[in-house]
Amino acid sequence: MALLAGVTISGTAHAAGPPGCSSVTQIGGTSYIRNSFDGETYVSVKQFKGCGKNWAYAYAWQSLVDGGAPFSLMVGIAVYWGPTAPEAGSYHGIVTGGYRDREVWSTGTDTLSQCTTAIADLRFDGEVSGTKETSLIC
């Protein structure tokens, strides 16, 4: 997954819950993928825990959906070797959503005992346009 610097702003995206797990709790903050030209927020990225697993979640904002662009979202859990590791050592539970899917959940990962972030890519026609990770949780 590519890494793109971004700015965190306030906003709301409501996650219903991942498939196969009825009760999850957000851990860490929400991160945002924004349009580099005008700063408009396109995607919210969150990490959850529940059912003994970590979950990554990405939500496409209405402005992205209304724009009509051929986008897709890819999400997963990034595992770091420790709280000061400079980059992820591995990625787990990666799921690529379908054409213009508004919400995408990773698969559940057995990584609750490790240092993790949720990570998401925004892709236009298959090319990565933006990537964002949530805060590191150890």
Side-chain angles (χ1 to χ4, degrees):
M1 292 188 178
L3 180 60
L4 177 76
V7 177
T8 300
I9 62 170
S10 62
T12 304
H14 302 285
C21 182
S22 62
S23 178
V24 293
T25 302
Q26 184 175 346
I27 54 176
T30 303
S31 293
Y32 302 91
I33 299 173
R34 297 180 55 173
N35 180 321
S36 61
F37 297 108
D38 64 11
E40 188 167 2
T41 302
Y42 278 169
V43 178
S44 298
V45 183
K46 299 180 180 190
Q47 182 176 190
F48 291 85
K49 67 177 181 177
C51 301
K53 299 183 182 293
N54 282 95
W55 306 84
Y57 171 78
Y59 175 85
W61 283 42
Q62 192 65 46
S63 57
L64 178 61
V65 173
D66 289 347
F71 75 88
S72 64
L73 302 172
M74 184 171 83
V75 298
I77 295 293
V79 176
Y80 286 74
W81 295 112
T84 59
E87 59 187 44
S90 60
Y91 299 94
H92 302 267
I94 296 170
V95 171
T96 300
Y99 174 72
R100 295 178 52 80
D101 281 351
R102 188 152 191 188
E103 295 182 78
V104 180
W105 285 93
S106 71
T107 58
T109 65
D110 293 321
T111 55
L112 284 173
S113 64
Q114 298 170 299
C115 295
T116 59
T117 69
I119 187 167
D121 283 347
L122 170 60
R123 296 167 180 249
F124 292 108
D125 286 329
E127 297 294 320
V128 176
S129 174
T131 299
K132 191 65 181 171
E133 287 185 72
T134 59
S135 55
L136 186 65
I137 302 295
C138 292

